[in-house]
Amino acid sequence: MEQLIENKLIKADKTFSSWRKMPFEERQVLIAKAAEILKNNSEKFGRIITVEMNKPISESIAEVEKCALMMNYYAKAENILKPEKVESEFAYSEVHYVPKGVILGVMPWNFPFWQVLRFAVPAILAGNTVVLKHASICFGSGNAIEEVLLEAGFPEGVFQNLEVGHKAVKEILEHDAVKGVSLTGSGKAGGEVASIAGLNIKKSLLELGGSDSFIIFDDADLEEAAKAGVKSRLQNCGQTCTAAKRFIIDEKIEDRFLPIFIEEYKKYKVGDPLDKETNMAGMARPDLADELEAQFNRALENGAEIIIPLERISENEFKPGLIRVQEGNPILKEELFGPLGMVMVAKSDEEALQIANDIPFGLSNSVWTANKERQLYFIENLESGTVNINRMTSSDPRFPFGGTKASGYGTELSQLALREFVTAKTVVGN
């Protein structure tokens, strides 16, 4: 291990010994200060995001502002980590929540501020310190986050950005100072990191991919559903784990809904990512565009039909595409991470549910219907960490966020995230 990285891990561990003793409310004050810095400089930080990974500047600014919103949520959150009294016959009868120590974050490029802070803020508020291994194209974002926290008054060593490649993750996670890991990324990366953590008996949290369904029934507001569905599929150029990727349409409204949906789809056109009027830009890297194009061709080879062709117009830019897919197409077992959507048709509620669940992933689903009984049927039976009723998927600081099946395990956001990287210590006796 490079001496610089070794020194940072030792520093994080040393800082933890004092940071864990700082009162919860004092940590919250610092989080509020950092939120204010982000909010007041959203355009500056948004530009860093856009320059690094091509996101339209309006979306990048919104990402930074959402981080500030989330941090203010935690700055005002109830302290659920206080010792809890348990009724018993013993004089000592309590549960204490003890922070674990240095937590490694392995984070992706698609939301370079949000993904990092969504993990780091509750972990830090719980008394842990954090080291970040960011995506290699987003080191600028990682450094900017570290600078914001230092400017807000966080002690050095509470949050450190490590400019290392993915090959360094194993050695860092195996280091004695590191007590857990949170990863947002692909299933392959998640499996590799979880296996390293498991072999070393360290806690892991995984937020992995998705192939979310967007189900539209005959009693839905079709105009609203079309707008929300297209936005969910094409924002961030389709590079979102919770993006709507499979549009499951009630056969009774196929002829009415598809024309509205296609018209809305065609409103998204590639433009300059630094122009605030741009609603879609290129993908983050050319190799990611290569992968999406290969997936598109495989889907066609296996019987998919083109509704709107996926047209590549540069090394990393596409005119967004839409395909009709039948059950059994191998593409349904993959995640499409780019501006390509899939349409499927269901003859009944039961078939729509079966199609929605018949994939390896279980991140988030969206159901559009006014019927309360139907809403409850899908709420109870969809296999996913989140079910949205008459709205597109979007994470909210107030609600738990996480997946099931191949979409990972563990909870980010909400009060529950404060207990992800703590040990519940029982204190009992006389």
Side-chain angles (χ1 to χ4, degrees):
M1 179 179 292
E2 292 181 22
Q3 192 59 48
L4 176 62
I5 303 305
E6 174 79 19
N7 292 343
K8 288 192 172 187
L9 295 179
I10 292 170
K11 184 176 187 176
D13 194 34
K14 184 177 180 181
T15 302
F16 169 67
S17 63
S18 56
W19 178 250
R20 63 179 297 190
K21 297 174 184 175
M22 179 181 283
F24 187 89
E25 293 73 20
E26 291 183 24
R27 295 183 207 134
Q28 287 183 303
V29 170
L30 298 179
I31 289 171
K33 288 180 180 177
E36 186 176 8
I37 293 168
L38 284 175
K39 186 175 180 181
N40 292 339
N41 296 276
S42 60
E43 294 215 14
K44 169 188 167 184
F45 296 122
R47 186 178 178 87
I48 292 173
I49 294 171
T50 294
V51 169
E52 286 190 321
M53 53 75 62
N54 277 329
K55 183 177 297 182
I57 188 67
S58 60
E59 292 184 17
S60 297
I61 293 169
E63 178 180 336
V64 176
E65 291 174 345
K66 186 174 182 178
C67 290
L69 178 72
M70 176 270 297
M71 293 170 79
N72 278 322
Y73 165 82
Y74 282 109
K76 299 171 184 174
E78 177 190 355
N79 181 5
I80 63 168
L81 302 179
K82 292 184 291 188
E84 291 181 2
K85 299 286 186 181
V86 178
E87 288 294 326
S88 77
E89 69 274 25
F90 300 106
Y92 288 103
S93 186
E94 298 176 345
V95 178
H96 293 208
Y97 294 97
V98 182
K100 288 188 176 293
V102 182
I103 309 299
L104 170 64
V106 182
M107 295 292 134
W109 45 263
N110 58 332
F111 289 89
F113 269 61
W114 172 249
Q115 304 279 24
V116 172
L117 288 167
R118 185 174 73 182
F119 139 70
V121 169
I124 287 170
L125 181 55
N128 301 288
T129 57
V130 164
V131 290
L132 169 67
K133 186 276 175 238
H134 214 325
S136 58
I137 62 171
C138 293
F139 287 160
S141 292
N143 288 329
I145 292 169
E146 182 174 350
E147 290 165 9
V148 166
L149 297 182
L150 289 171
E151 184 181 341
F154 283 84
E156 290 188 9
V158 169
F159 179 98
Q160 296 176 91
N161 183 46
L162 310 179
E163 293 192 14
V164 296
H166 68 275
K167 291 181 180 178
V169 170
K170 182 177 185 292
E171 197 172 8
I172 293 169
L173 185 48
E174 289 175 340
H175 195 282
D176 287 344
V178 176
K179 306 303 182 188
V181 60
S182 177
L183 177 140
T184 297
S186 68
K188 181 175 182 292
E192 290 172 354
V193 167
S195 66
I196 298 167
L199 285 171
N200 289 274
I201 321 299
K202 296 182 180 183
K203 171 70 183 286
S204 62
L205 186 157
L206 303 180
E207 198 275 276
L208 308 177
S211 188
D212 294 354
S213 64
F214 192 99
I215 309 169
I216 310 102
F217 287 104
D218 59 334
D219 58 348
D221 182 329
L222 301 189
E223 297 275 355
E224 187 65 26
K227 288 180 181 177
V230 173
K231 181 179 180 181
S232 180
R233 172 64 282 198
L234 297 180
Q235 68 177 356
N236 199 20
C237 198
Q239 300 168 123
T240 305
C241 57
T242 57
K245 299 185 175 89
R246 297 174 300 132
F247 295 90
I248 302 170
I249 304 171
D250 183 339
E251 69 170 1
K252 293 190 286 295
I253 56 162
E254 180 184 358
D255 292 341
R256 283 193 291 139
F257 179 74
L258 263 184
I260 302 170
F261 188 68
I262 290 168
E263 182 181 0
E264 193 67 30
Y265 213 85
K266 290 181 176 179
K267 292 178 182 178
Y268 281 72
K269 298 176 181 178
V270 174
D272 177 2
L274 290 170
D275 184 341
K276 288 185 178 180
E277 299 302 313
T278 294
N279 62 11
M280 197 179 86
M283 294 182 69
R285 300 192 312 260
D287 63 298
L288 299 168
D290 292 341
E291 185 177 340
L292 182 71
E293 193 169 43
Q295 288 178 298
F296 173 64
N297 290 327
R298 283 201 303 276
L300 298 182
E301 289 166 6
N302 284 280
E305 302 169 12
I306 295 174
I307 299 173
I308 304 173
L310 180 73
E311 295 183 46
R312 194 165 184 174
I313 56 178
S314 78
E315 66 173 10
N316 69 327
E317 295 174 324
F318 290 100
K319 290 182 180 178
L322 193 63
I323 54 178
R324 186 188 303 271
V325 179
Q326 302 295 331
E327 285 189 83
N329 194 313
I331 201 67
L332 292 168
K333 304 299 182 183
E334 302 177 17
E335 180 177 31
L336 295 179
F337 219 62
L340 177 63
M342 297 178 282
V343 169
M344 305 181 77
V345 176
K347 296 182 175 65
S348 65
D349 291 17
E350 292 75 19
E351 185 178 26
L353 178 69
Q354 184 269 324
I355 292 171
N357 285 340
D358 190 25
I359 58 168
F361 306 102
L363 195 53
S364 184
N365 291 289
S366 183
V367 182
W368 291 72
T369 176
N371 185 299
K372 296 297 182 184
E373 288 185 10
R374 179 183 273 158
Q375 290 173 4
L376 187 60
Y377 172 73
F378 281 92
I379 288 168
E380 291 179 343
N381 292 291
L382 279 168
E383 298 169 354
S384 58
T386 300
V387 177
N388 301 274
I389 304 297
N390 297 320
R391 68 186 296 273
M392 62 176 274
T393 294
S394 62
S395 49
D396 183 312
R398 298 170 296 178
F399 302 110
F401 181 85
T404 186
K405 300 197 289 189
S407 290
Y409 51 75
T411 299
E412 294 184 314
L413 300 178
S414 80
Q415 293 280 80
L416 294 179
L418 290 170
R419 289 183 176 168
E420 277 293 329
F421 290 103
V422 299
T423 298
K425 178 196 285 187
T426 295
V427 181
V428 62
N430 293 307

